[in-house]
Amino acid sequence: MKSKQRKSQHVIIKGTKDGLTFMLDDQCSIETLKEELQKTLSDRPESANESVQPVNAKLVVGKRYLDRFQIEELESLFSEEMNVSINEIESEVISKEEAEEMKQNMQVTRVVKVIRSGQVLDFKGDLLLIGDVNPGGKVKATGNIYIMGSLRGIAHAGSQGNEEAIICAAEMKPSQLRIASMIRRPPEQNGENSGFEEGECAYLNEEKEMVLDKLQILSKIRPNLSMEI
C-alpha cells in the first residue's frame, strides 16, 4: 500500500499570548507562498467580522525581502480571509535604506569649534567635539557624545532612543544632560561645588537613572566602546 505523499508546508502558524505568529518559508516563490497562505487562511473557521476587534499577527519571513507592494498584498490577504491585522514583520534581511541608516549611526563625526549660545549641532552616530559648548548652546547625536572641552550648555545623546549612549566631557558643567528620553539638570549650586567634576561621563544605569561618574568607569559599564589591546 502506497503512503500518501505530503505536500511541503510553507506556512506554520503558532498561537501566542499576543496573537498569532505566521512563520513563512523563505525558499519558495512569493506566489507559491500567497497561494498556500490563502488556502490556509480560508480553511480556518475565523472569518472577517467588522464588529470584532482584529487579531494581531506577526510574520516571520526569514531571509526573504518584502517590498512595500508585497507587504500590502499580504495585509490585504489577511484582512479579506481573516479578521487579522499584521502588526510586525520579522526579517533577517534589511533594505538599502536601513543599511545606510545603520552605517550613519555607527560613524563618528569630528568637529573642531566652539558651540555658542543659540547654536545647535545635530548628528547621526557619535559626535567628537574638540571645543566647548557654551551656555545656550546644544549638541545632539543619535550615538555617544565626547567633548574635549567644557560642556556648559545642553548635550543630548541617544537622541533616537539609544539608552546605551553616553556623554563625556573634559569639564562637565552642563545646563542640561539628556540620554534618550531621560533628562538630568544640574543640582542647585551651593558655593563652588556644583556637583559636577572634571573628566566625567553620564550614562543610564539598569534602573534607567542617569548617573555621573569618572571616565575610568566606562571600561566596566560599556566594554564594547573600545577594542581589546
Side-chain angles (χ1 to χ4, degrees):
M1 181 177 180
K2 293 183 178 180
S3 60
K4 187 177 180 181
Q5 186 177 6
R6 185 180 179 183
K7 295 181 66 177
S8 174
Q9 188 176 17
H10 301 299
V11 180
I12 298 175
I13 307 174
K14 292 184 177 181
T16 70
K17 61 181 179 65
D18 298 318
L20 296 174
T21 296
F22 290 79
M23 304 179 71
L24 310 183
D25 185 4
D26 57 5
Q27 300 300 311
C28 65
S29 70
I30 186 67
E31 293 305 320
T32 299
L33 190 61
K34 287 193 295 184
E35 287 177 8
E36 183 164 331
L37 259 176
Q38 187 166 21
K39 183 178 185 307
T40 301
L41 295 177
S42 60
D43 285 347
R44 290 176 65 84
E46 294 88 351
S47 60
N49 186 341
E50 294 182 358
S51 64
V52 179
Q53 287 285 2
V55 177
N56 290 327
K58 172 184 176 180
L59 301 188
V60 180
V61 299
K63 293 181 173 60
R64 182 187 300 276
Y65 173 73
L66 297 175
D67 58 30
R68 185 65 251 174
F69 177 73
Q70 291 169 332
I71 292 174
E72 290 175 353
E73 280 188 320
L74 291 176
E75 289 175 338
S76 177
L77 183 62
F78 275 82
S79 176
E80 291 175 1
E81 299 295 342
M82 290 176 65
N83 194 20
V84 170
S85 174
I86 299 174
N87 63 350
E88 183 181 354
I89 298 178
E90 181 181 300
S91 173
E92 297 177 26
V93 181
I94 62 174
S95 66
K96 181 179 179 181
E97 291 76 16
E98 290 171 328
E100 183 63 30
E101 181 80 9
M102 288 176 61
K103 180 181 177 181
Q104 290 177 355
N105 284 325
M106 292 175 65
Q107 70 185 4
V108 179
T109 301
R110 301 169 181 84
V111 178
V112 182
K113 69 179 298 182
V114 174
I115 311 303
R116 306 188 186 282
S117 179
Q119 293 181 318
V120 178
L121 287 188
D122 189 353
F123 292 100
K124 289 189 176 181
D126 294 352
L127 170 63
L128 172 59
L129 175 66
I130 303 174
D132 300 332
V133 181
N134 288 346
K138 181 177 181 179
V139 289
K140 184 177 179 181
T142 61
N144 306 308
I145 294 177
Y146 308 98
I147 299 173
M148 304 292 289
S150 177
L151 172 56
R152 298 176 181 273
I154 300 173
H156 183 185
S159 59
Q160 292 183 349
N162 180 8
E163 296 182 345
E164 292 293 305
I166 61 170
I167 301 171
C168 300
E171 185 180 14
M172 185 75 84
K173 295 183 178 179
S175 58
Q176 183 189 100
L177 292 176
R178 182 169 180 175
I179 297 177
S181 61
M182 304 303 295
I183 299 175
R184 173 167 175 167
R185 294 179 175 84
E188 295 293 331
Q189 296 188 13
N190 295 316
E192 297 182 357
N193 185 7
S194 64
F196 296 93
E197 300 180 6
E198 293 184 1
E200 283 192 321
C201 62
Y203 64 93
L204 298 183
N205 62 16
E206 295 180 354
E207 288 73 38
K208 308 304 179 186
E209 299 170 333
M210 194 179 301
V211 177
L212 272 84
D213 211 327
K214 294 292 186 180
L215 293 175
Q216 289 81 355
I217 198 69
L218 287 178
S219 61
K220 296 181 179 179
I221 63 167
R222 300 290 187 269
N224 60 331
L225 284 176
S226 64
M227 298 175 59
E228 290 188 8
I229 300 176

